[in-house]
């Protein structure tokens, strides 16, 4: 059987309603943050995987260009 999503890692902005929704779905919510002893910029491992994927998707020409002018034409 394939792997199943168990834990969702987010930043602190998703503590409220989103975290409660995950709990109702039976998923574990984990806040990904840098170590308390760190100073300055420290990349958070799991978060950079997602950020990199979003960067790739928005750089892909067919997804980055939005030629639609109205929501109705975009929907079709």
């Amino acid at each position: 059987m394939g792997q199943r999503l168990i834990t969702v890692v987010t930043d602190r902005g998703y503590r409220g309603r989103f975290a409660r929704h995950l709990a109702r779905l039976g998923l574990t919510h984990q806040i990904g943050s840098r170590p308390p002893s760190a100073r300055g910029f420290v990349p958070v491992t799991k978060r950079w995987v997602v950020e990199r994927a979003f960067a790739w998707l928005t750089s892909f020409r067919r997804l980055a260009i939005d030629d639609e002018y109205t929501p109705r034409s975009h929907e079709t």
Side-chain angles (χ1 to χ4, degrees), residues 23-48:
R24 282 194 300 271
L25 294 174
L27 298 171
T28 303
H29 180 232
Q30 179 182 348
I31 296 175
S33 60
R34 62 188 195 155
S37 61
R39 296 216 180 265
F41 175 76
V42 177
V44 179
T45 306
K46 301 279 186 184
R47 184 173 179 171
W48 281 101

Side-chain angles (χ1 to χ4, degrees), residues 50-66:
V50 175
E51 295 291 339
R52 183 185 63 209
F54 284 149
W56 286 343
L57 289 173
T58 57
S59 296
F60 184 56
R61 186 175 182 273
R62 299 192 82 165
L63 296 175
I65 298 173
D66 187 7

Side-chain angles (χ1 to χ4, degrees), residues 16-28:
R17 197 167 135 194
F18 184 74
R20 288 190 301 272
H21 181 69
L22 290 177
R24 282 194 300 271
L25 294 174
L27 298 171
T28 303

